Amino acid sequence: MAGERHSLPGVIGGDIMRHGKLALLLLAAVLVSAVLVVTTVHKTRLLTAQREQLMLEKNALDIEWRNLILEENALGDHSRVERIATEKLHMQHVDPSQEHIVVEP
């Protein structure tokens, strides 16, 4: 047996299979958990970026909603003035095509 030659990878593999099964199992568990941590962090960053984008869109829609409310109120005020002019002051709309110019002498 003194003249036998063994390859180093074969000797290491044999030792691991005989004496290091627990260490090999722990190494595999560490590698799997490391990959899962990296994947989770990546997904979390993507979701955080998506949330930020949605918050920006929400703020833009809130601003647009406020502007529409202001516009509605402004148009409502105009119709209110028109209604008061018609009901209380008995004013009427004038059709420009039927308007006659009266010149006083």
Side-chain angles (χ1 to χ4, degrees):
M1 284 220 172
E4 287 185 40
R5 295 187 59 101
H6 299 284
S7 67
L8 183 60
V11 172
I12 292 173
D15 283 347
I16 288 176
M17 294 311 279
R18 277 190 298 268
H19 306 291
K21 289 182 182 176
L22 180 61
L24 190 59
L25 181 65
L26 291 175
L27 176 64
V30 166
L31 291 177
V32 168
S33 68
V35 169
L36 290 175
V37 166
V38 169
T39 304
T40 304
V41 168
H42 176 68
K43 287 181 180 179
T44 302
R45 287 185 180 170
L46 288 177
L47 289 173
T48 302
Q50 184 181 12
R51 180 183 179 272
E52 185 66 30
Q53 181 64 33
L54 289 173
M55 292 298 290
L56 291 174
E57 288 178 24
K58 177 190 173 285
N59 289 341
L61 289 172
D62 281 344
I63 290 170
E64 185 178 352
W65 174 255
R66 280 187 230 118
N67 287 340
L68 288 172
I69 294 294
L70 289 173
E71 183 178 346
E72 181 183 38
N73 289 338
L75 292 174
D77 288 344
H78 179 72
S79 64
R80 180 177 169 268
V81 168
E82 186 175 346
R83 182 177 44 81
I84 290 172
T86 304
E87 291 174 1
K88 292 186 179 180
L89 301 176
H90 306 292
M91 298 177 108
Q92 299 176 11
H93 280 283
V94 176
D95 186 4
S97 64
Q98 296 181 1
E99 186 176 326
H100 299 291
I101 300 176
V102 177
V103 179
E104 293 185 22

